[in-house]
Amino acid sequence: MFKKIFRKFVMVLGIAIAVTAAGQANLLAPIDDALRGWRFGWNNAPVTGDVVVVEIDPRSLQEIGVWPWPRSIHARLIDALLEYGAAEIAFDIDFSSQSTAEEDAAFAASLERAGGFVILPAFKQPVVTETGQPAELINQPVEMFARAAWPAAVNVIADSDGRVRRYPYAVDLGTQSVRSLPAVLAGRQVEQESRFLIDFSLDATQIDRIAYIDVLERRIDLARLAGKQVIVGAGAVELADNFAVPRYGVLTGPMTQALATETLLQGRELTVVGPWLAFEFLIALGVFFVLCMKKLTPPSLVAGMAIGALVTEAIAIHVMGEWHLVFNTAAVHIGSFAMLQGFVITEWDLRGLLMRRTRKQYVATRAVLDRVIADHFDAVVVVNGAGEIVATSRPADEMLGAGQSLVGNRAATVLPSALADPVAAALNPGAGEVSARDTPVETTLRHTRKGGGDIIIEYVVTASDVPASEEDMAPTAPSRVVCLTFRDITERTARLRQIKYEADHDPLTGALSRTRMVAKIQEFLDLWSGAEQALTIVLIDLDRFKNVNETLGHSVGDELLRQVARRLEASGAYCVARLGADRFAMALPGLLDAAGQERLAQSIIKDVVEPYELGEHKALIGVSIGITDIRRSGIDTDILLAHADMALSEAKNIPGNSYSVFETELDARVQRKQAVEVALREAIAHGEMSIVYQPQVDLATGDAIGAEALLRWHHPEMGHVSPDLFIPVAEDSGLIMEIGRWVLLNACQDAARWPAPARLAVNVSALQFEYGDAVADIEAALAVSGLAPERLDIEITESVFIHKTDAFVKKLQAIRERGVEVALDDFGMGYSSLGYLSRLPVDKLKVDRSFVRHLPDDHEAMAIIRSVLTLAETMHKAVIAEGIETADQAWVLRLAGCKTGQGYHFGRPQTQREFCELLALEGPAFRLRAIA
């Protein structure tokens, strides 16, 4: 009796050891992973609601346009999220390369406005070097973005079956460890590279998902974003940012980041309980049934085992939900099943059959394990301590055995040396050696495919020490087992190479991308030094390319760009890159004198402007060229390109096909312009701007009937800054919109307080009409100031009619319908055409001061003025003469029929107080001074 019970205990111990060893060797991992995913659904924990995902979904792509979007779109999103009161903004979008300077500047400005509450992604990705060696590519936000944002690692690492279950606290990126995005959002300060298990029992359906376009267009409620941590990333399937995960099947990258963040926010990181808990559980279960065997019938024994399995799973579900512990139960279920068979055999009390049944149970357990291995997604080879292969998966047989099973062969004879050597090292580790490689290693297997092709694999070798079986239970086996797991990554490697090529090259023309060109230039400068370090940079901008696109279509324009790239590459340059829509760059070894630069520029012009055969069409384009070299600009790549761009800007100001070479004064001029722009951004806020008023008088009576508002700027360091300097800067930078609104509003408020109902003339820039809402600005100024519309003149220049004439005419008509009059400033100096002047909605013509300056002696100017006066009278338009500085000029203009004048003869620009005093003077006193 005692011997029988002892054998049962031995059976329980043997099964517990066998399945525990299998679990330790990760042979049961697929089953445990499946059970864990099933348990997630039973817990269904709530989320905090503090994390919101803003998705780039199909609707956003359709409304905004083709991906990738300009970075100004993301800048607008940041501004919108800040208006909604978002606590933190995290992007899961690559910003590691530069786009256009304007777009990058717009995005950098939005980061500055966010004040450090934006998180940008950093990540590393495996690549293959040009020599075929594996390497890692570190992607960080570009420097101008990194200065105003927090970096966070966004590497999502899948397990061997392709599913994402873990997420890193931090990732080693080169020489530094960067916290992951979830760790940053959750405030975790873990610096070393380690991973945690994501709790997928969190209900992902409760995470608020908002379309990108809805945030951009302010279509959502404030409460959905106020105080929330926002993750911005790809949600559309076509953007390929999707991951296989437990429970949910497939989640987008941002949703995976959100679940990982929620896991850390709630402290729900899952901890895997060691395999010895399953061993102890099996021992306790086996001991219980051994002691109760006599009281149980076979059906009740089966029922008891089933209930035990359910209780096991219930406990596993409970400890996962309450204490966030992962109890791997596959070993328990397989061991319970094995024990059940052993107990049934024992209950039959067939001593002669006991050994055969026990061996059959061993074989059955082994069969289960073999089936788990055989059906494994990856290629798996299990080798015992004697170096024999004892189990394989089908992918392993197909890759290494041409479809034939490798079981029974010695590993050293059938495995390639690239795999046999690490297996042998794991079986017999030397003193102090690690017996396994738990980090994937990449290698190439030669001539293993049909047809002799190579495959690239990555593999992992793990070793387990398994106690020997009892002699009467199963054949004695070696104590060490090695599991080799590998997968074919040939296609993935090819895709990565293709991705690298696409990242390094312009997809349309095949020329290098800007990022790759910068790297190539740096490689050249690193390779050569001293006198040999000579490099010339050329920037090329195509003129009239827009006309080709608009008249012949974008497909023809694309073919023209491809032909331009081929012509430039045929020049023998060190590298050729496409920097933008119609902009290219070249790097050429060596330095050129003035004659050489001339020859180079003329050669490029000759090649580029040669007519293009584009199917049924022919096209002619022009070209502008900017040149610099390391002699002028140094060896910093960014500065080289910036200086070449400055030279290109100079060339574009020269008519025809032209080139310009960078000189130091160009840099100084740009810096002066930038200094003015920086100071101009703060001028209004610091009270440096002021408005003065130059009187406009009735030439017949000398009475002041109005004034023109003129903007003045006094900087504390630069002193009085001329409008001729800062107005062009304001227009180039877009600040003219804000400045124009400020001038319009304050001038109307001043005029509303004048002691007499004189007219006010305010200049409005063409850019305010084209890019702003000039009509709304005028209405707002009149409404706030209370100024009567009939007292206001809006002065425009003829440049507003160069482009989009119909649109501007409609806006001017809308202004006139409100009672405001429109004056055409600097008449005769621009693009006026008598043919269309009658159709323009203007009430007044302001004759430019250049026609008045030499009166009355300049008879030609006087003839022009008489013609303008006659034309204006015919068209029922008033005329104002500017620049009157003498009594003779006023007298001759009055005789010619001009009714209104303006100039230093009647008064210099005056402050609000001085002009009010002027209006308060009695008419005769002022009249005598004005016409004397």
Side-chain angles (χ1 to χ4, degrees), residues 6 139 267 371 428 538 574 773 875:
F6 176 74
N139 291 275
R371 176 52 56 190
N428 302 291
V538 181
Y574 173 65
D773 192 344
M875 296 182 178

Side-chain angles (χ1 to χ4, degrees), residues 878-920:
V879 175
I880 302 174
E882 293 185 288
I884 301 175
E885 298 182 357
T886 67
D888 290 343
Q889 291 172 347
W891 175 76
V892 74
L893 286 168
R894 182 176 58 187
L895 289 180
C898 182
K899 294 182 174 57
T900 307
Q902 175 182 340
Y904 285 176
H905 176 62
F906 304 108
R908 290 180 176 272
Q910 305 169 18
T911 64
Q912 164 75 353
R913 181 182 59 81
E914 292 170 340
F915 187 67
C916 287
E917 291 175 354
L918 174 66
L919 291 178

Side-chain angles (χ1 to χ4, degrees), residues 693 746-756 758 760 787 791 912:
Y693 301 93
N746 283 270
C748 288
Q749 290 177 328
D750 284 350
R753 295 191 294 269
W754 288 348
L760 169 68
L787 182 70
R791 290 181 57 195
Q912 164 75 353

Side-chain angles (χ1 to χ4, degrees), residues 850-892:
S850 62
F851 296 107
V852 177
R853 182 180 301 119
H854 301 296
L855 293 180
D857 299 327
D858 191 336
H859 300 294
E860 292 182 357
M862 194 65 225
I864 293 174
I865 291 174
R866 288 196 182 96
S867 299
V868 171
L869 290 169
T870 301
L871 178 67
E873 183 179 0
T874 302
M875 296 182 178
H876 306 291
K877 300 181 189 299
V879 175
I880 302 174
E882 293 185 288
I884 301 175
E885 298 182 357
T886 67
D888 290 343
Q889 291 172 347
W891 175 76
V892 74

Side-chain angles (χ1 to χ4, degrees), residues 35 64 74 328 342 381 387 392 485 616 659 662 684 840 880:
L35 289 172
I64 296 177
H74 301 308
N328 290 330
V381 177
T392 60
T485 305
E616 299 177 353
Y659 78 97
F662 173 79
I684 294 178
L840 297 183
I880 302 174

Side-chain angles (χ1 to χ4, degrees), residues 41 50 97 113 149 161 170 195 211 307 329 380 492 506 508 514 518 520 603 649 652 668 717 765 774 889:
D50 295 331
S97 62
R113 290 193 294 275
D161 63 351
R195 291 188 284 170
I307 293 173
T329 59
V380 179
R492 188 181 78 184
D506 173 48
L508 176 63
R514 180 188 181 91
V518 169
K520 288 274 288 182
S603 175
S649 296
K652 291 181 71 65
E717 296 178 0
S765 169
Q889 291 172 347

